[in-house]
Amino acid sequence: MMSNRLPLILANWKMNKNRSEIHEFLQAITGKLPLTNLLQVGVAAQSVYLEKMVDYVNHHQLPLDIFSENLFYVNQGSYTGETSPAALVDIGVKGSIIGHYERRKLFKESNGSVGLKVAASLKNGLLPLVAISEDTSTYDPTDIEMSPLTEIAISFAGIDKKWASKIVVAYEPAWAIGSDRTPTLKEIEHAAKVIRQSLTVIFGSAAANQIRIQYGGAVTPENAKAIFALPNIDGLLIGRSSLVADNFLRIIDDALAVEKE
Ligand code: PGA
């Protein structure tokens, strides 16, 4: 990869895996994750299991960062049912997925709340991974729709460019998530370029070039390497394929091979 952005391979387990399945997965990858400074690797899981996961990772010294799949934008107070950024930091969580398509669609998460969550993450020292998606009905690969660009503009309004190196944007076409189809490599690279252009408008080019852009949606061990190798793609957000330890490890090995090329 030609940039100096550290690629991030992140598993998004969504609402899958119970306590013993998580333990089994962590045991299966123990001793098998590469010790490297060429790649950052993480797993995002349900909040209820995060502390146990962090403890396992620390105890076994795994090169693995634990992420939450959501968070709230206030650290403390009368917000029944929400998860505080400070609480996530307290248990050793590294970052959080923000505004995943499923949260936007099923739980009506707005661009405005995504923006507040980005600011709260940065303030608390958590990495914000902002997922942006095109809606199935509006997708046109030759002309990336305005909706993800609006998502970007609102998500990062008011964020100082000094935070750029901490920000991750995941480009996930809505129709690819949970499907067996991905855009072509050309379309993914094009979308990433357009996203970087719009980040440049917000942050200026030096800062925008520090922001990592991941691809997510139907990533598999078969297609991961070619997508990961695209010049404007700095990592992968992986749902279903990350649930099987061997698949996750294979994708990580392939990504590392690309980084070493
Ligand atoms: P998928 O999910 O890899 O199962 O398509 C990706 C995501 O929703 O982040």
Side-chain angles (χ1 to χ4, degrees), residues 69 84 86 88 92 107 115 125 146 159 163 207 209 216 222 245:
E69 298 174 6
S84 148
L88 293 172
F107 304 102
M146 287 315 292
I159 303 292
W163 297 113
N209 276 325
E222 287 71 40

Side-chain angles (χ1 to χ4, degrees), residues 82-127:
E82 291 295 333
T83 303
S84 148
L88 293 172
V89 171
D90 196 26
I91 61 167
V93 166
K94 184 82 179 179
S96 184
I97 300 175
I98 299 175
H100 186 277
Y101 178 69
E102 287 150 14
R103 295 218 56 83
R104 295 179 192 264
K105 192 177 162 83
L106 302 172
F107 304 102
K108 309 284 175 261
E109 172 118 40
S110 69
N111 289 328
S113 99
V114 168
L116 292 168
K117 290 176 179 185
V118 171
S121 296
L122 292 168
K123 204 166 117 203
N124 282 280
L126 292 165
L127 292 181

Side-chain angles (χ1 to χ4, degrees), residues 9-248:
I9 304 285
L10 187 71
N12 176 14
W13 282 351
K14 310 189 179 183
M15 209 174 69
N16 294 299
K17 289 198 186 293
N18 62 26
R19 188 181 145 107
S20 71
E21 288 163 345
I22 290 175
H23 191 73
E24 222 171 88
F25 183 100
L26 291 175
Q27 277 184 322
I29 63 170
T30 299
K32 296 196 179 144
L33 289 171
L35 287 167
T36 176
N37 54 12
L38 295 174
L39 213 55
Q40 182 178 13
V41 177
V43 173
Q46 298 181 68
S47 291
V48 71
Y49 296 122
L50 295 177
E51 185 171 11
K52 267 239 172 282
M53 292 172 71
V54 171
D55 288 349
Y56 183 100
V57 161
N58 289 343
H59 184 73
H60 295 270
Q61 298 189 331
L62 297 195
L64 184 75
D65 289 324
I66 303 302
F67 280 61
S68 70
E69 298 174 6
N70 186 25
L71 82 181
F72 193 51
Y73 47 79
V74 177
N75 276 346
Q76 193 180 340
S78 304
Y79 303 98
T80 303
E82 291 295 333
T83 303
S84 148
L88 293 172
V89 171
D90 196 26
I91 61 167
V93 166
K94 184 82 179 179
S96 184
I97 300 175
I98 299 175
H100 186 277
Y101 178 69
E102 287 150 14
R103 295 218 56 83
R104 295 179 192 264
K105 192 177 162 83
L106 302 172
F107 304 102
K108 309 284 175 261
E109 172 118 40
S110 69
N111 289 328
S113 99
V114 168
L116 292 168
K117 290 176 179 185
V118 171
S121 296
L122 292 168
K123 204 166 117 203
N124 282 280
L126 292 165
L127 292 181
L129 190 158
V130 179
I132 60 156
S133 306
E134 283 141 317
D135 219 305
T136 318
S137 55
T138 57
Y139 180 65
D140 174 359
T142 58
D143 176 23
I144 178 171
E145 279 293 327
M146 287 315 292
S147 91
L149 303 185
T150 309
E151 287 177 12
I152 289 173
I154 302 177
S155 304
F156 299 117
I159 303 292
D160 193 292
K161 63 181 173 194
K162 73 175 182 209
W163 297 113
S165 65
K166 308 278 180 222
I167 293 170
V168 184
V169 173
Y171 165 64
E172 299 200 297
W175 54 265
I177 295 171
S179 81
D180 56 4
R181 289 190 306 142
T182 62
T184 65
L185 294 176
K186 212 170 145 202
E187 288 163 358
I188 294 173
E189 177 63 9
H190 174 73
K193 266 195 195 150
V194 174
I195 288 168
R196 200 172 301 287
Q197 277 161 14
S198 82
L199 291 168
T200 303
V201 173
I202 299 168
F203 293 110
S205 88
N209 276 325
Q210 292 182 285
I211 296 177
R212 293 178 276 178
I213 300 177
Q214 291 182 312
Y215 171 78
V219 172
T220 65
E222 287 71 40
N223 64 24
K225 191 172 185 180
I227 298 173
F228 181 84
L230 291 168
N232 268 290
I233 290 296
D234 312 306
L236 303 167
L237 184 57
I238 313 160
R240 289 154 298 162
S241 292
S242 73
L243 292 168
V244 178
D246 282 349
N247 288 342
F248 188 53

